[in-house]
Amino acid sequence: PPPLLPTYKSAFLQSCLSASVLTFGTYKLKSGRLSPYFFNAGLFHTGGLVHSISTAYAHALLTHVTQNPTFEFDILFGPAYKGIPLATATVDKLAQLDKGRFGHVSYSFNRKELKDHGEGGVIVGAPLRNKNVVIIDDVITAGTAMREAIEIIRAQGGTLVGVIVALDRKERMSDDSSGSAIGEVRRKFDVPVLSIIDLDDLIGVLGGLGDEEDMGRLRDYKGRYGASD
Ligand code: OMP
């Protein structure tokens, strides 16, 4: 049997399946690949589901901080638009879990359009200058969205100290590279990239549910597009 998942991971996977955030079929990705599964974080829009996803992000961060006590961050940066509710809900959940340690953590996000009146600026929420910033996002496949977020943080004078995503698809960036987009971020910026769940967790859970057909299709996909790191 696959190794037991921590409770926060299996609870999150259960909500993804019951809310059809995770679905199985044939889906064309931004990269053009045909995937046997799709993760649509935009469907986490009820209060109960926001609670479920923010709890899972907060537990993944707390687990990392517990294992790496020197890891500190001031800001969760949620790239517009999908990252905005994720960052906001997760800072709330972190403060609830441990107010002393996380009560000071801010949310922050970028505007998609430049604002030239009022307070102006590209950033809403905490200014990034001289702050330790963690990016929070839904899913990384080829890393295009992530590179944009990293560039905003650099331009605003913040320091990237980590990334957290809900799902790590563990795919190679392109046909002629064996590494993943997440692996590239780890190597290039020397920061941890955390995820609540990844493709292997998903394959394990399908196995546990006895869903041999979908599990087989995910395994084949991994064989074809899986990254080496
Ligand atoms: P990259 O910018 O290539 O890393 O792709 C990330 C984006 O792909 C996400 O922000 C989504 O718009 C989309 N996506 C999903 O939402 N879920 C998936 O399971 C797969 C993708 C995708 O197209 O790769």
Side-chain angles (χ1 to χ4, degrees):
L4 268 185
L5 290 179
T7 313
Y8 75 87
K9 291 193 188 216
S10 51
F12 178 67
L13 260 165
Q14 280 314 319
S15 337
C16 289
L17 294 172
S18 57
S20 299
V21 168
L22 261 171
T23 47
F24 304 92
T26 302
Y27 304 94
K28 188 161 187 183
L29 302 184
K30 202 160 128 185
S31 58
R33 290 176 187 167
L34 286 181
S35 167
Y37 74 106
F38 197 78
F39 179 82
N40 182 358
L43 291 178
F44 269 103
H45 50 60
T46 65
L49 290 169
V50 171
H51 175 81
S52 145
I53 196 169
S54 62
T55 301
Y57 279 118
H59 276 280
L61 284 163
L62 181 63
T63 303
H64 186 74
V65 169
T66 307
Q67 289 164 356
N68 304 272
T70 57
F71 182 75
E72 282 186 15
F73 57 101
D74 309 300
I75 295 176
L76 277 188
F77 180 78
Y81 293 99
K82 279 195 282 182
I84 299 172
L86 301 178
T88 313
T90 304
V91 293
D92 174 73
K93 191 70 209 172
L94 282 170
Q96 207 180 315
L97 282 180
D98 188 340
K99 196 159 188 184
R101 199 192 272 171
F102 297 120
H104 72 281
V105 174
S106 299
Y107 73 79
S108 187
F109 61 86
N110 59 298
R111 291 181 199 279
K112 287 260 193 184
E113 314 76 21
L114 273 184
K115 190 177 176 206
D116 58 4
H117 58 280
E119 80 281 15
V122 213
I123 298 294
V124 183
L128 305 183
R129 185 158 302 282
N130 298 327
K131 297 291 186 191
N132 286 345
V133 183
V134 171
I135 296 174
I136 181 166
D137 213 345
D138 53 356
V139 42
I140 302 188
T141 306
T144 316
M146 192 56 56
R147 280 188 286 277
E148 285 170 23
I150 291 173
E151 176 49 29
I152 293 169
I153 292 166
R154 194 202 57 75
Q156 294 292 319
T159 305
L160 179 74
V161 297
V163 174
I164 183 162
V165 295
L167 171 69
D168 177 359
R169 295 182 53 103
K170 291 186 149 180
E171 287 181 36
R172 43 174 82 201
M173 263 183 304
S174 63
D175 290 342
D176 41 45
S177 103
S178 63
S180 69
I182 280 188
E184 192 196 53
V185 173
R186 283 197 185 106
R187 283 187 298 274
K188 207 163 150 189
F189 300 94
D190 196 24
V191 297
V193 181
L194 315 175
S195 64
I196 304 172
I197 53 168
D198 63 27
L199 175 59
D200 294 311
D201 297 331
L202 195 50
I203 292 174
V205 161
L206 290 177
L209 293 172
D211 187 343
E212 300 290 333
E213 196 186 324
D214 286 328
M215 186 176 74
R217 286 174 14 104
L218 261 61
R219 280 212 174 115
D220 291 346
Y221 186 77
K222 183 182 169 183
R224 181 148 180 209
Y225 296 116
S228 58
D229 65 348

